């Protein structure tokens, strides 16, 4: 929109779950627009200052594009590069007016 500046663009994170706890993201908020796509977009740090990047039971859910009609096409995707075309993009902007 006029008088708005894009701060960054990213990928639309909807929800993630780790160790039995889930957190949903408001798609209208900055927290749902991740600058980088990662299947496990979070770290877990212990008391010894050792951090691990996700675990086998962690899950993340991303808003998808409508570019592929057949959901079965998702099944063979193995790497983040394979998945990226199916993840919806977002942008975080700053302006002098309130958004509607």
């Amino acid at each position: 929109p006029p008088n708005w500046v894009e701060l960054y663009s990213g990928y639309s994170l909807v929800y993630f779950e780790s160790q039995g706890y889930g957190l949903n993201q408001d798609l209208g908020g900055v927290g749902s627009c991740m600058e980088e796509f990662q299947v496990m977009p979070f770290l877990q740090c212990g008391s010894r200052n050792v951090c691990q990047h996700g675990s086998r039971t962690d899950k993340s859910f991303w808003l998808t594009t409508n570019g592929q009609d057949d959901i079965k096409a998702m099944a063979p995707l193995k790497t983040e590069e394979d998945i990226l075309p199916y993840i919806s993009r977002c942008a975080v902007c700053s302006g002098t007016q309130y958004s509607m």
Side-chain angles (χ1 to χ4, degrees):
N3 301 320
W4 286 73
V5 176
E6 181 178 311
L7 300 177
Y8 67 89
S9 62
Y11 300 90
S12 299
L13 177 66
V14 177
Y15 177 87
F16 62 87
E17 184 177 297
S18 177
Q19 295 187 0
Y21 295 98
L23 182 63
N24 63 326
Q25 299 294 318
D26 176 0
L27 291 176
V30 175
S32 70
C33 191
M34 305 295 284
E35 288 186 73
E36 294 182 29
F37 173 77
Q38 297 178 6
V39 175
M40 295 297 160
F42 40 86
L43 293 173
Q44 298 171 351
C45 299
S47 59
R48 297 182 191 157
N49 293 327
V50 175
C51 298
Q52 296 178 337
H53 190 259
S55 71
R56 294 182 314 162
T57 58
D58 295 344
K59 301 176 189 123
S60 63
F61 298 86
W62 300 80
L63 191 65
T64 62
T65 64
N66 61 357
Q68 187 63 256
D69 293 332
D70 187 4
I71 195 65
K72 292 178 186 174
M74 295 296 284
L77 303 178
K78 303 269 188 243
T79 67
E80 287 185 3
E81 290 78 24
D82 292 338
I83 297 169
L84 278 178
Y86 299 97
I87 305 300
S88 180
R89 299 301 306 260
C90 55
V92 173
C93 301
S94 176
T96 57
Q97 301 172 349
Y98 291 105
S99 62
M100 300 299 263

